[in-house]
Amino acid sequence: MPLNAIARAMLAHMNANPIDWASIAPQQFRAMSAGMEQPADPSDAIVQEDVDAGGVPARIYRRAEAAGPEPVLLFFHGGGYIACGISSHERLCSRLARRAECAIVSVDYRLAPEHVFPAAVDDALAALRWLGEHGGKHGLDTDRIAVGGDSAGGSLATVAAIRSRDEGGPAIRHQLLFYPGTDLTGETESERLYSDGYFLDSDFSAMCLDAYLPNPADRAHPWASPLLTPDLSGLPPATILTAECDPLRDEGRAYADRLRASGVPVRYKDYPGVFHGFVSMFGMLPDADETIADAARELQQAFAEIPA
């Protein structure tokens, strides 16, 4: 189906002043995106705590009324590995913490081009290990850890789960992935259909990948393209949520299919008529509010289940 009416109007507004991606540097885009950040909704009533997560800056979000250890989502932000951070996703993390009734630790991993692959991957694992070892000191239930993220952050979450499986933990209950990038080596049908004018343009993606993965051979590394991981068995259950009109749609679906084929429980849902990045537009785009409600419900269920 085509874009729904609200999504179409949003994209028309975004596309009214197109950016010549060939003429700007990643740092310039980083500054531009920082100028568009929106604060969290005060009604979510979230208390924050900044921490050093194994050498990686992070921020803990907890509901103001929370008492006792809470299950926790370790969250990795999107931004093409070159932009965004804790502040850009504070609104989303605060809403997820409220709706899912859990704590969230948002990770400020290093960005390219100053820090190329695998810096972000290593930061993700360092933060996960810190959470497993020290989260209890901050009111976090380290027996109930999930990992998640949007776009590039979704990819980092998958890789953190894989490396945790392979490199000694900690144990993870669930993966919550919003339109993750999982394969940087080929072109999918969704990339052909939605590579221009649907928020995540191909020229922007090329700029991000050139900055983060200056060695083209690294794009086939499983830590950059987790879909190419030889063995996906034994990973935590996953919720994978994609957007129909998104170049990354087919990568998310393919990852869901591979997880299922490897015996990993997966809930996959593709939201019709919306575009990449839509989840952050809750309060303006009803589909985003629906997606957050779905994600919160999946997290609550995962945290409530008794591990096998």
Side-chain angles (χ1 to χ4, degrees):
M1 66 173 288
L3 289 165
N4 67 46
I6 298 176
R8 185 167 60 250
M10 285 183 163
L11 269 183
H13 177 74
M14 295 177 189
N15 293 333
N17 296 293
I19 298 172
D20 179 6
W21 296 111
S23 68
I24 69 170
Q27 295 89 340
Q28 290 174 285
F29 172 72
R30 192 182 303 160
M32 291 167 52
S33 62
M36 296 184 287
E37 294 176 359
Q38 296 184 359
D41 186 339
S43 69
D44 286 329
I46 297 298
V47 176
Q48 304 176 7
E49 178 188 1
D50 289 334
V51 295
D52 180 332
V56 184
R59 181 170 295 164
I60 301 172
Y61 298 90
R62 297 188 71 194
R63 293 168 297 141
E65 74 278 13
E70 286 195 294
V72 56
L73 170 69
L74 186 68
F75 184 87
F76 304 101
H77 66 81
Y81 302 104
I82 66 169
C84 299
I86 289 174
S87 58
S88 66
H89 284 62
E90 183 168 294
R91 183 171 178 266
L92 176 58
C93 287
S94 297
R95 181 56 53 89
L96 277 173
R98 170 55 55 188
R99 294 292 187 265
E101 299 181 345
C102 70
I104 292 182
V105 177
S106 181
V107 179
D108 202 15
Y109 57 87
R110 288 172 291 172
L111 300 176
E114 296 89 344
H115 305 282
V116 300
F117 174 84
V121 173
D122 289 340
D123 285 358
L125 184 62
L128 177 59
R129 286 175 170 163
W130 173 88
L131 176 57
E133 294 173 7
H134 304 287
K137 302 173 186 176
H138 300 271
L140 308 175
D141 182 351
T142 56
D143 289 328
R144 292 188 291 169
I145 295 174
V147 295
D150 64 323
S151 194
S155 178
L156 289 175
T158 71
V159 176
I162 292 166
R163 292 189 67 184
S164 184
R165 177 199 65 181
D166 296 342
E167 299 178 35
I172 297 170
R173 284 285 189 96
H174 201 74
Q175 304 177 73
L176 175 63
L177 313 176
F178 298 106
Y179 27 80
T182 65
D183 185 358
L184 305 180
T185 64
E187 184 181 48
T188 63
E189 180 185 8
S190 60
E191 286 176 313
R192 290 190 291 271
L193 290 173
Y194 304 115
S195 64
D196 183 31
Y198 290 87
F199 186 66
L200 186 63
D201 289 352
S202 59
D203 289 344
F204 170 73
S205 294
M207 178 182 71
C208 294
L209 297 185
D210 287 344
Y212 180 54
L213 297 143
N215 179 1
D218 285 338
R219 300 181 188 188
H221 195 293
W223 293 356
S225 295
L227 185 65
L228 305 184
T229 303
D231 179 12
L232 294 177
S233 63
L235 290 173
T239 298
I240 301 178
L241 308 174
T242 59
E244 178 189 17
C245 304
D246 179 356
L248 299 187
R249 179 198 66 197
D250 291 349
E251 294 180 41
R253 179 180 296 159
Y255 195 67
D257 289 343
R258 275 229 41 216
L259 286 173
R260 285 197 193 99
S262 301
V264 177
V266 178
R267 188 219 170 186
Y268 172 76
K269 183 175 180 180
D270 185 51
Y271 293 83
V274 290
F275 53 88
H276 187 81
F278 80 100
V279 172
S280 294
M281 300 173 188
F282 61 89
M284 299 170 281
L285 186 62
D287 310 79
D289 293 275
E290 175 190 349
T291 307
I292 288 176
D294 287 344
R297 185 166 52 251
E298 292 293 319
L299 278 178
Q300 287 178 315
Q301 181 174 329
F303 288 139
E305 290 175 349
I306 299 175

